[in-house]
Structures are given as structure tokens and as C-alpha cells.
Amino acid sequence: MPDPDELPESDKDLRREMTDAMDTIREQIDRLREGPSMGGPLDDRSVIADLEAEYAALKQARDGL
């Protein structure tokens, strides 16, 4: 992985945006795993799987910068 300090500014901005998106996805996954705050039980496994796939794709793309 290249040194982030050596990246062009546009790549640094993109990397920062990707990291922010990954943080948001991780927060959504954590909330879904905690369960519903109201109502009955929900089966969010497919939503969690989709979010984890998106997270992994972002991480791989970010690491490739």
C-alpha cells in the first residue's frame, strides 16, 4: 500500500471519502446487529451481508489507491 503522505491531493480526498463511507457502513452494520429498538424481531442478515460486501469492495478499492 502506498504511503498516504505521497498520494496526490485528489487521491487523498478520495481515500478520505472512502474511509468516511466505510465508517458509515460499519455503523449501520453495528446498529442492525444490535436489533430493533421497537417492535418485533427482524431478520436483517441479507441487509448486513449486502453492507459487508459494500464495505469490503470499498476497502479493496481504497487499498488499491
Side-chain angles (χ1 to χ4, degrees):
M1 183 162 63
D3 182 355
D5 293 331
E6 296 176 5
L7 292 173
E9 195 60 38
S10 62
D11 285 352
K12 287 181 187 178
D13 290 342
L14 179 59
R15 186 175 181 81
R16 193 174 307 115
E17 287 177 29
M18 294 171 103
T19 299
D20 290 346
M22 290 168 59
D23 291 344
T24 299
I25 290 170
R26 181 56 51 203
E27 288 172 13
Q28 291 172 345
I29 290 170
D30 290 344
R31 283 190 203 125
L32 287 169
R33 285 193 173 141
E34 289 173 3
S37 58
M38 295 176 58
L42 298 174
D43 185 0
D44 291 322
R45 288 179 290 189
S46 66
V47 175
I48 291 170
D50 290 344
L51 287 169
E52 286 176 336
E54 186 174 344
Y55 180 91
L58 276 169
K59 184 176 184 326
Q60 184 176 13
R62 185 192 66 181
D63 291 347
L65 283 178

